Amino acid sequence: MAVDPYVPTRPEDAPRRSIAIPAAAGWRAARPGDIDPAVGPGCKGVLFGTPGPDSGYALTLAERFHDRITAVPPETVHDAETISAQVAMRRGGFFGRAPVAADVELGLTLFGWLGDAPADLVEWRRLAVAGIGHDYPRRIRLVEAIPESVLLQRPDQIRERPSDWRHLLGLETSA
């Protein structure tokens, strides 16, 4: 901020000279969580998931569906929010963008949390996802099993195939 020209200044109030700070050294992706730029967004690894920009935003988006989720004990709404956010993170990373509400809706629709789901899906789901909100390895295995062709679809396309849930979730290979 400039000094008011009408305010008298003393020479001893002038800023002191300091030592020159050297230029920053080069940066390398060497920490365990860093993604090597040479590998890019398609990198694979054990429990690595599908990295993408701003993926944590999916958790905020999933919370917006809180009142619409129908969970059957022992599964909880938290489990549903967490796994649908994980699906959204994978789908957003697959497209190279941040997750959006449609990604979360796709995850919730795949697992039958947004409406009428087949009874066999609900029975499988309530045991398969119970506690998964606090079990990262289980969550990643379940979400990574979903075929990429399913992630390319829209939520309304998934809603049209409720009886095909085993194929959609990657639990069986043929439709």
Side-chain angles (χ1 to χ4, degrees):
M1 176 181 247
V3 176
D4 188 350
Y6 298 105
V7 175
T9 58
R10 301 176 304 181
E12 58 269 12
D13 291 338
R16 296 184 189 131
R17 288 204 171 271
S18 64
I19 60 169
I21 299 174
W27 179 85
R28 290 182 335 118
R31 299 176 300 179
D34 288 336
I35 299 173
D36 186 354
V39 177
C43 49
K44 299 283 184 198
V46 177
L47 300 179
F48 197 58
T50 307
D54 199 19
S55 56
Y57 183 56
L59 293 167
T60 301
L61 292 171
E63 288 174 0
R64 295 180 182 172
F65 287 88
H66 184 87
D67 295 335
R68 295 175 49 196
I69 296 172
T70 55
V72 180
E75 70 181 354
T76 64
V77 172
H78 173 71
D79 294 329
E81 289 173 347
T82 307
I83 201 160
S84 64
Q86 195 74 47
V87 170
M89 291 177 207
R90 180 171 181 225
R91 188 169 191 246
F94 181 72
F95 288 120
R97 59 164 171 73
V100 295
D103 299 336
V104 175
E105 184 181 354
L106 182 109
L108 291 169
T109 304
L110 271 173
F111 287 89
W113 281 304
L114 291 180
D116 297 331
D120 53 343
L121 167 60
V122 173
E123 186 58 31
W124 171 84
R125 180 195 72 206
R126 69 181 203 88
L127 299 174
V129 303
I132 208 163
H134 299 284
D135 191 346
Y136 182 75
R138 244 177 72 210
R139 189 168 64 240
I140 289 294
R141 279 194 303 271
L142 189 60
V143 171
E144 290 294 320
I146 299 171
E148 288 183 3
S149 61
V150 173
L151 294 176
L152 295 174
Q153 298 180 30
R154 296 184 315 268
D156 60 327
Q157 292 174 311
I158 300 298
R159 269 191 293 279
E160 293 171 0
R161 301 168 54 187
S163 62
D164 199 18
W165 65 269
R166 285 182 185 85
H167 175 70
L168 294 172
L169 291 176
L171 301 176
E172 56 183 43
T173 56
S174 61

